[in-house]
Amino acid sequence: MEQRLAADVRDESRSAVLEAAARLLAEHGARGVTTRAVAQAAGMQAPTIYRLFGDKDGLIDALAEHVMATYVAGKSVSAAQPGGDPVADLRAGWQLHVEFGLANPELYALLNTPGRGAPSPATTAGIEVLRTLVRRLAAAGRLRVDERRAVAMIHAAGTGTVLALLGMPAALRDPGLADVMFDAVADRILTAAPAAPDATTTTVTVTFATVVPELPALTDAERALMTEWLNRSLDQAQRQRD
């Protein structure tokens, strides 16, 4: 009982701190989110922040998870739906990403500050959702590049698009930029239609790589070796295209 009460108090304290941090971020921007200011706004002592979150980066990570929870959960549900159009789902995920960044400019900029170190758990969760969407594209025969390259390109383009838009005065932002950027990336990484018998070697290789973990009668070492061969082939093909 005492442990449960202690956990409840801790959860309440965390919630109070995160709500205070979110208010400060919205009202004063990233510079307003200091441990001292957050503690004061939450009615606590600064050492409490360190006990709950470790340091300021831990607080920012928790704040990001707090704000992005519904967003990431919504993307996860979409990514988990079988049988849908994987290209449409990827576009929907892209749009949600852009919408979130524009709606939460200070937090987005804070999470993407150069030199910040390891990505926040919220960002990592979003990338995992992206990997799921890309894996579905590969399984459907729609990728012309390997999965790793596709994830990296989409993530880089999405982040760059949001930061570029945030760097413009709201009245001067191009409302169609996000769609144009998605189309540019999609044109580079996607095939026009699912892989057919005359599909390129790269497309077939990318698609085959998605089923290697499920191939029967192979040991883990054999699956790992086959994956290494496929990745080596894809890397060589990518270098030739580049």
Side-chain angles (χ1 to χ4, degrees):
M1 178 64 73
E2 291 181 358
Q3 291 181 341
R4 181 180 300 177
L5 290 174
D8 289 343
V9 171
R10 180 182 177 84
D11 290 343
E12 291 177 2
S13 297
R14 282 180 61 90
S15 296
V17 170
L18 292 175
E19 289 172 5
R23 288 196 305 273
L24 289 172
L25 185 65
E27 295 171 2
H28 304 290
R31 293 183 179 180
V33 185
T34 65
T35 52
R36 178 178 297 180
V38 172
Q40 184 176 0
M44 301 176 183
Q45 298 296 319
T48 303
I49 304 293
Y50 294 103
R51 285 199 298 271
L52 291 172
F53 302 99
D55 55 20
K56 183 178 177 181
D57 281 346
L59 171 61
I60 297 302
D61 287 343
L63 176 60
E65 289 186 276
H66 176 70
V67 177
M68 294 177 69
T70 302
Y71 165 74
V72 173
K75 287 184 68 177
S76 299
V77 170
S78 174
Q81 295 297 327
D85 181 351
V87 178
D89 287 345
L90 179 64
R91 182 182 289 275
W94 172 282
Q95 291 172 340
L96 282 172
H97 179 87
V98 173
E99 290 169 3
F100 176 84
L102 296 181
N104 301 274
E106 293 290 346
L107 177 60
Y108 194 89
L110 202 57
L111 290 174
N112 291 281
T113 300
R116 184 176 181 275
S120 73
T123 299
T124 300
I127 293 175
E128 286 304 313
V129 172
L130 176 58
R131 286 198 180 97
T132 299
L133 292 169
V134 169
R135 171 55 61 93
R136 288 180 55 202
L137 288 165
R142 297 301 308 269
L143 283 186
R144 68 170 74 246
V145 300
D146 66 85
E147 293 181 55
R148 293 171 299 171
R149 176 64 66 89
V151 169
M153 289 177 66
I154 296 166
H155 178 63
T159 302
T161 297
V162 174
L163 291 177
L165 289 170
L166 291 177
M168 305 174 188
L172 300 180
R173 288 174 187 164
D174 178 359
L177 179 62
D179 288 337
V180 171
M181 287 298 297
F182 177 85
D183 290 339
V185 174
D187 183 65
R188 184 64 181 83
I189 68 172
L190 300 180
T191 62
D198 60 346
T200 66
T201 301
T202 297
T203 301
V204 173
T205 304
V206 170
T207 305
F208 179 61
T210 66
V211 302
V212 169
E214 302 172 4
L215 292 176
L218 296 178
T219 65
D220 290 342
E222 290 169 335
R223 292 190 183 91
L225 183 59
M226 185 172 293
T227 298
E228 180 184 346
W229 289 340
L230 293 172
N231 287 337
R232 190 186 306 168
S233 176
L234 290 169
D235 288 342
Q236 179 62 30
Q238 189 66 55
R239 283 194 293 271
Q240 291 174 349
R241 285 196 299 273
D242 292 345

